[in-house]
Amino acid sequence: MEQNISITIDGQYQGLDPVFSALPDGTTARFLYIHVPFCFHKCHYCDFYSFVDSRDQQGAFLDALETELATIAPWADPDAGLKTIFVGGGTPTLLAVPLWERLLVTLDRLFPLAQVPNREMSVECNPETATPELFDVLTRGGVGGVGGVNRISIGAQSFDPVMLKALERWHEPPSVHRALELARDAGIHRASIDLIFAIPGQTIEMWEGDLDVLCTFASEGLIDHASCYALTYEPNTAITKRLERGDFQAVDEDTEAAMYELTIDRLARAGLERYEVSNFARPGAECEHNLAYWRQHNWLAAGPSASGHMAGHLWKNVPRLSDWMKSVNPPPTPERVRGWSEIVDHEPPDPRRSLAERIMLGVRIREGIPMSELLDRAESLGVREPIEQEIERQIGLGFVERSSDALRLTNSGFLHADGVASALMVRLDADP
């Protein structure tokens, strides 16, 4: 159960502002995540905070978002600027076009984007929301036509109408191709597609059909990135409750593994190389924002339920739009500071937890974890020997290898990434 730490600590209100006040001098971030919670349908497998949008709250949401962005902006790197901005949701492209125009101007004012070479600004897009007007505003960006969106991530999930219905996705397969073409015509030349496999009722042949379409998009130059995830049954989602009731059977593990291996082979032949367990890209087209998460960099967060990380502090903004807006714009009192969100799930810096997270995320990416970093951090915790023993065990199993002084998964290890990470993390609790 989530514990909202922002209500009282020693009887006093505490939100995100004391966390930032406690950051070491000079702590900054080059990455920003913005959460837009609006959707036109809540898919039953989704556990991200979102709700069906009637557009009556979008203006108030943007008012609060601009207030929060202005509050956290001083912690963006003042010299190098923001390297990435990722706008996720929900369905960010449901935001009205005039509000998008306003948001981009605000971002350019607070985080001068034109000064950053090779910056990345990504927006998640439902294909049914793609219009020439929207993409024109996204690419035009902020003040003077700079700071625009240069990467989109389209949630296709499947190209099979039967599978889309099973996922409760409300779009037509041809709309994905149309959205990609609109983006390219508007000047957005980086695009990613999200697909889900191991959907109840899905066969390997059906999944291969989805991969055929994906590879065609790659050959046409419409995409340079793909994310292919096995369906996950998250707690408290509608689909998990249906599974527990016995409404359907999950795809068996052997079929799921076969689908994953097929994915790796087909996408490699299409020029999309695996650089993370579930992510594939042309060389140089990797998602820099997601790499920042996996490499444990600092990132700022704005919007309801958005998660952030600064100097070892991890937190999530309070979910529920109304609660978040009230916390960002509170009634004026001496203890409430305008612009700071209340937070849930706050975890203060902890070296052991931090290394566990580094292992959990770092082993998933192709580059792995620098061996010197891993062993130095393990030694500081008094667990270097147990970690070295587990590394040797995993090497013997054929799941990891040492490459260029990095600990990396082997091809077979990618099939067991969670198990490898768990085995290493267990050794963090060994007696020094």
Side-chain angles (χ1 to χ4, degrees):
M1 181 177 179
E2 290 181 347
Q3 179 184 5
N4 189 333
I5 71 156
S6 61
I7 303 302
T8 58
I9 294 180
D10 296 331
Q12 302 295 318
Y13 159 78
Q14 186 160 355
L16 188 54
D17 41 324
V19 173
F20 273 67
S21 297
L23 294 177
D25 290 343
T27 300
T28 60
R30 297 202 63 200
F31 309 93
L32 168 65
Y33 175 73
I34 298 173
H35 191 80
V36 179
F38 307 114
C39 272
F40 55 82
H41 172 73
K42 180 70 174 179
C43 300
H44 65 161
Y45 63 88
C46 179
D47 70 333
F48 293 106
Y49 172 64
S50 62
F51 60 90
V52 176
D53 172 41
S54 61
R55 293 211 166 189
D56 60 336
Q57 299 186 83
Q58 288 195 4
F61 161 76
L62 189 55
D63 289 342
L65 182 63
E66 289 178 317
T67 299
E68 184 176 30
L69 288 169
T71 301
I72 64 176
W75 280 269
D77 190 307
D79 299 316
L82 288 181
K83 187 175 182 180
T84 73
I85 299 175
F86 195 105
V87 186
T91 305
T93 47
L94 266 181
L95 199 64
V97 170
L99 296 181
W100 259 113
E101 196 164 22
R102 184 176 135 195
L103 174 59
L104 290 167
V105 169
T106 297
L107 289 171
D108 190 53
R109 174 174 55 83
L110 295 173
F111 313 95
L113 303 177
Q115 72 184 35
V116 184
N118 301 317
R119 64 170 177 79
E120 174 187 282
M121 184 170 180
S122 302
V123 171
E124 291 182 343
C125 173
N126 182 294
E128 296 294 344
T129 63
T131 65
E133 296 77 16
L134 171 67
F135 284 143
D136 176 64
V137 166
L138 293 182
T139 54
R140 192 164 7 108
V143 180
V146 298
V149 173
N150 55 18
R151 184 178 182 277
I152 60 167
S153 178
I154 295 183
Q157 315 312 354
S158 178
F159 302 110
D160 185 323
V162 175
M163 293 295 96
L164 288 173
K165 185 176 181 179
L167 291 171
E168 295 188 352
R169 292 289 297 179
W170 295 80
H171 69 263
E172 296 296 327
S175 65
V176 178
H177 190 275
R178 173 181 168 273
L180 290 169
E181 288 189 320
L182 286 175
R184 182 178 62 182
D185 292 345
I188 299 176
H189 298 295
R190 295 189 59 194
S192 178
I193 291 287
D194 283 4
L195 289 181
I196 295 175
F197 62 91
I199 303 166
Q202 188 179 45
T203 64
I204 292 178
E205 291 74 22
M206 294 167 75
W207 175 237
E208 188 168 20
D210 278 351
L211 293 175
D212 286 342
V213 178
L214 188 68
C215 292
T216 298
F217 289 163
S219 68
E220 293 175 353
L222 289 172
I223 64 169
D224 57 10
H225 188 284
S227 299
C228 298
Y229 303 99
L231 178 63
T232 303
Y233 295 92
E234 300 290 354
N236 302 316
T237 57
I239 196 171
T240 299
K241 293 175 182 177
R242 290 184 58 209
L243 177 67
E244 292 169 346
R245 285 200 307 264
D247 293 353
F248 58 84
Q249 287 187 329
V251 171
D252 65 85
E253 291 183 2
D254 289 343
T255 301
E256 181 179 319
M259 288 176 171
Y260 181 61
E261 291 178 319
L262 178 64
T263 304
I264 298 164
D265 177 65
R266 290 298 308 280
L267 295 191
R269 285 191 275 143
L272 302 177
E273 299 179 3
R274 178 179 57 190
Y275 72 99
E276 191 267 349
V277 170
S278 302
N279 286 270
F280 306 79
R282 295 194 187 280
E286 298 84 358
C287 179
E288 289 294 331
H289 188 85
N290 285 339
L291 282 169
Y293 295 156
W294 299 324
R295 291 168 175 164
Q296 217 173 33
H297 293 323
N298 290 339
W299 71 86
L300 298 166
S305 84
S307 295
H309 175 253
M310 294 289 283
H313 287 273
L314 285 165
W315 72 90
K316 183 171 77 173
N317 281 1
V318 63
R320 297 174 297 276
L321 180 63
S322 59
D323 291 348
W324 170 76
M325 289 193 299
K326 289 176 183 177
S327 69
V328 171
N329 290 307
T333 59
E335 68 272 13
R336 297 296 296 269
V337 182
R338 186 172 183 267
W340 294 105
S341 177
E342 293 185 5
I343 55 177
V344 295
D345 294 338
H346 173 249
E347 298 182 25
D350 176 84
R352 194 173 299 271
R353 187 210 74 221
S354 178
L355 181 53
E357 289 164 353
R358 181 71 171 106
I359 291 170
M360 178 179 66
L361 298 173
V363 299
R364 294 180 61 89
I365 50 180
R366 180 180 57 201
E367 68 190 42
I369 309 173
M371 187 69 74
S372 56
E373 175 195 347
L374 176 58
L375 295 181
D376 286 349
R377 293 175 69 172
E379 185 167 5
S380 70
L381 296 171
V383 293
R384 176 170 178 147
E385 184 175 347
I387 288 291
E388 288 182 319
Q389 290 173 350
E390 187 57 41
I391 289 172
E392 292 304 318
R393 192 177 80 87
Q394 294 294 328
I395 290 174
L397 292 170
F399 293 160
V400 301
E401 63 183 1
R402 293 190 188 92
S403 178
S404 301
D405 191 39
L407 184 70
R408 296 174 45 182
L409 293 174
T410 61
N411 285 335
S412 61
F414 272 101
L415 290 168
H416 304 276
D418 291 342
V420 173
S422 295
L424 287 166
M425 290 188 293
V426 164
R427 297 302 187 108
L428 297 181
D429 292 324
D431 292 330

